[in-house]
Amino acid sequence: MFVQNRDPSKNSRTLLSKVAILTACVLGAWVSSAQTVATPPKTETPKTELSLRQLADARGFLIGGAISATVLDPDSPEYSETVAKEYNVVVTENAMKWAPINNAPGQFNFTLADLMLKYADAHKQVLRGHTLVWHEQLPRYVGEITDKAALLAAIKEHVQGVVTQYKGRIKMWDVVNETISDGPGNPLRENSPFVKIIGPEFIEMAFRWAHEADPDAKLYYNDYNTEGLNGKSDAVYELVKGLLAKGVSIHGVGFQTHVDMNFSVETSKMRENLERFRKLGLAVQLTEVDVQLKGDAPKAEKLQQQAKVYSDLLTTCLAVKCEAFLVWGVTDQFSWRSSFKPLLFDEDYLPKPAYFALRDVLLGTPK
Ligand code: G3I
């Protein structure tokens, strides 16, 4: 009730203003209740928008890839942003190889590798060490050594210098890379100075020295064309079985998986192959995955086929409880096989069908 005013015009103004206030209140209440209804409740990101990294984190799985120094380049922010968003594990594509890091006897240059590790730490990513003993990207001084004891000493100095530098910070290393040849019978490769001058024992010693330098680091043998059941994977199997029998600290095998869009997980018997290594008690990782486009089919068709291969590879990896799925790069633009467009992101950093295929696998496969 309101008090009657002697001035009727005032009364009607008062009445009008009260009606206005009431209307405003009712309207306000309606608007605010409408807002409550219209504002979606705070929810998590819809599953279909989660990044590969978020999906992998949720299941305690490592997904990532090789990165170059471009990750530090302020003029290429898309590169760094993509890596930070999508990968929870990274590998330096070249920065930790023998020549870039230890180009002269006893002289180590950790500058670039340190910066890349700092990037990984800042983004809470695991950094996987690649690679200690490989017949490629060697400094000239190593190629000039002709004496067995001197070459073994060089391996020890290199392996222990690098592993000690990153003790406790790099928790997994490719210790020996690609030492089985592709030739008939798959012997140790002859174009390796380590094989030629030292013989098989360099493999065992490299693992022992790496273990001595950081007993907590996980140590891997890494090779290509070994994904399926074949002569080369048989040779790797015998090699690592022999190392285990001698009590050498080897924890896992990396299967590089540089394949093309015609690769078949099924016909290559990839799952059976990975399973036999798991039965030895070893961890397995797909370490350098890329899937090249091939042939004359329309591009869209080829991209779908590529996506199918990526999907099959990740499905197989998860089925054998592999530790990690690593792609060899980020964007097709900088791939070592860029003309075959083998990666998950195109030249403009747009995700390709292969990217969505991996996401579907992570979403659809129970832990
Ligand atoms: O850094 C130098 C630069 O200073 C020089 O001007 C330029 C001129 O060629 O070369 C640059 O080095 C190149 C390096 O990549 C960095 O871009 C080397 O020539 C080139 O040979 C090297 O290629 C790398 C290759 O390993 C070495 O054999 C690829 O980027 C790298 O993706 C590739 O990675 C290997 C894995 O480590 C092991 N498995 C196979 C895989 C593919 O080959």
Side-chain angles (χ1 to χ4, degrees):
M1 285 295 268
F2 56 93
V3 181
Q4 188 100 13
N5 201 302
R6 297 230 172 137
D7 176 352
S9 73
K10 269 194 184 165
N11 260 347
S12 73
R13 275 207 304 276
T14 314
L15 182 62
L16 273 175
S17 69
K18 296 222 175 205
V19 168
I21 289 167
L22 196 62
T23 310
C25 285
V26 170
L27 265 177
W30 179 79
V31 167
S32 86
S33 81
Q35 271 171 349
T36 316
V37 173
T39 308
K42 275 197 175 167
T43 52
E44 290 161 9
T45 314
K47 280 192 171 168
T48 47
E49 286 169 26
L50 291 172
S51 67
L52 293 179
R53 177 182 186 160
Q54 286 171 310
L55 291 167
D57 281 345
R59 60 194 304 144
F61 181 65
L62 292 175
I63 200 155
I67 56 169
S68 67
T70 310
V71 81
L72 307 167
D73 179 359
D75 293 333
S76 303
E78 309 93 333
Y79 189 98
S80 159
E81 283 160 16
T82 306
V83 172
K85 181 173 171 220
E86 301 292 347
Y87 293 172
N88 60 14
V89 52
V90 292
V91 188
T92 55
E93 187 171 358
N94 290 298
M96 291 186 172
K97 289 174 179 171
W98 196 321
I101 218 165
N102 176 201
N103 205 29
Q107 285 178 31
F108 293 88
N109 182 350
F110 294 115
T111 311
L112 179 58
D114 281 352
L115 285 171
M116 292 173 82
L117 179 57
K118 202 170 158 197
Y119 170 91
D121 284 346
H123 294 91
K124 299 188 168 40
Q125 293 163 317
V126 171
L127 192 143
R128 190 177 186 283
H130 175 83
T131 177
L132 296 168
V133 185
W134 187 29
H135 62 283
E136 284 192 31
Q137 277 181 295
L138 285 174
R140 182 185 291 238
Y141 83 90
V142 174
E144 287 168 353
I145 300 174
T146 52
D147 172 71
K148 180 174 172 174
L151 193 52
L152 275 168
I155 293 179
K156 182 175 185 188
E157 180 179 70
H158 173 69
V159 167
Q160 298 213 318
V162 177
V163 176
T164 303
Q165 167 76 7
Y166 295 110
K167 186 176 179 187
R169 294 189 294 156
I170 293 187
K171 298 190 171 74
M172 44 179 100
W173 283 102
D174 283 332
V175 177
V176 175
N177 196 41
E178 302 176 8
T179 204
I180 307 284
S181 79
D182 298 289
N186 305 98
L188 297 185
R189 64 168 60 246
E190 278 175 9
N191 63 342
S192 154
F194 310 117
V195 175
K196 259 194 323 212
I197 296 167
I198 303 171
E201 75 190 80
F202 86 89
I203 303 169
E204 172 183 343
M205 295 317 292
F207 276 94
R208 290 194 189 280
W209 287 324
H211 181 65
E212 208 174 273
D214 185 353
D216 294 327
K218 301 281 181 228
L219 308 177
Y220 296 79
Y221 177 78
N222 191 46
D223 216 326
Y224 64 90
N225 284 351
T226 52
E227 299 73 47
L229 273 181
N230 56 42
K232 192 167 177 182
S233 63
D234 287 349
V236 174
Y237 183 81
E238 291 307 324
L239 171 71
V240 298
K241 203 170 139 192
L243 291 173
L244 286 169
K246 285 182 176 172
V248 174
S249 283
I250 174 170
H251 304 96
V253 177
F255 298 83
Q256 294 185 9
T257 323
H258 295 292
V259 297
D260 67 39
M261 57 183 248
N262 299 315
F263 180 78
S264 163
V265 159
E266 216 170 80
T267 52
S268 68
K269 299 202 185 319
M270 182 168 174
R271 179 168 174 163
E272 293 87 322
N273 184 42
L274 299 183
E275 270 167 351
R276 67 174 166 162
F277 285 90
R278 296 284 288 119
K279 281 188 190 135
L280 288 178
L282 292 169
V284 304
Q285 303 190 345
L286 304 193
T287 48
E288 303 184 14
V289 181
D290 52 16
V291 180
Q292 297 173 67
L293 299 184
K294 283 275 167 80
D296 302 323
K299 189 170 173 204
E301 230 170 81
K302 290 199 277 186
L303 289 173
Q304 288 307 325
Q305 184 56 33
Q306 180 184 54
K308 165 88 170 67
V309 175
Y310 266 103
S311 165
D312 290 350
L313 290 172
L314 181 56
T315 303
T316 309
C317 185
L318 293 175
V320 303
K321 303 229 175 304
C322 76
E323 263 180 352
F325 186 91
L326 286 143
V327 177
W328 203 240
V330 183
T331 157
D332 283 338
Q333 190 186 350
F334 301 137
S335 160
W336 72 297
R337 283 178 168 170
S338 64
S339 57
F340 298 101
K341 307 196 179 313
L343 299 177
L344 302 178
F345 297 90
D346 72 10
E347 286 77 1
D348 297 318
Y349 296 89
L350 291 174
K352 294 162 62 182
Y355 169 89
F356 296 107
L358 291 189
R359 217 167 58 173
D360 287 347
V361 172
L362 290 173
L363 277 167
T365 312
K367 270 190 214 172

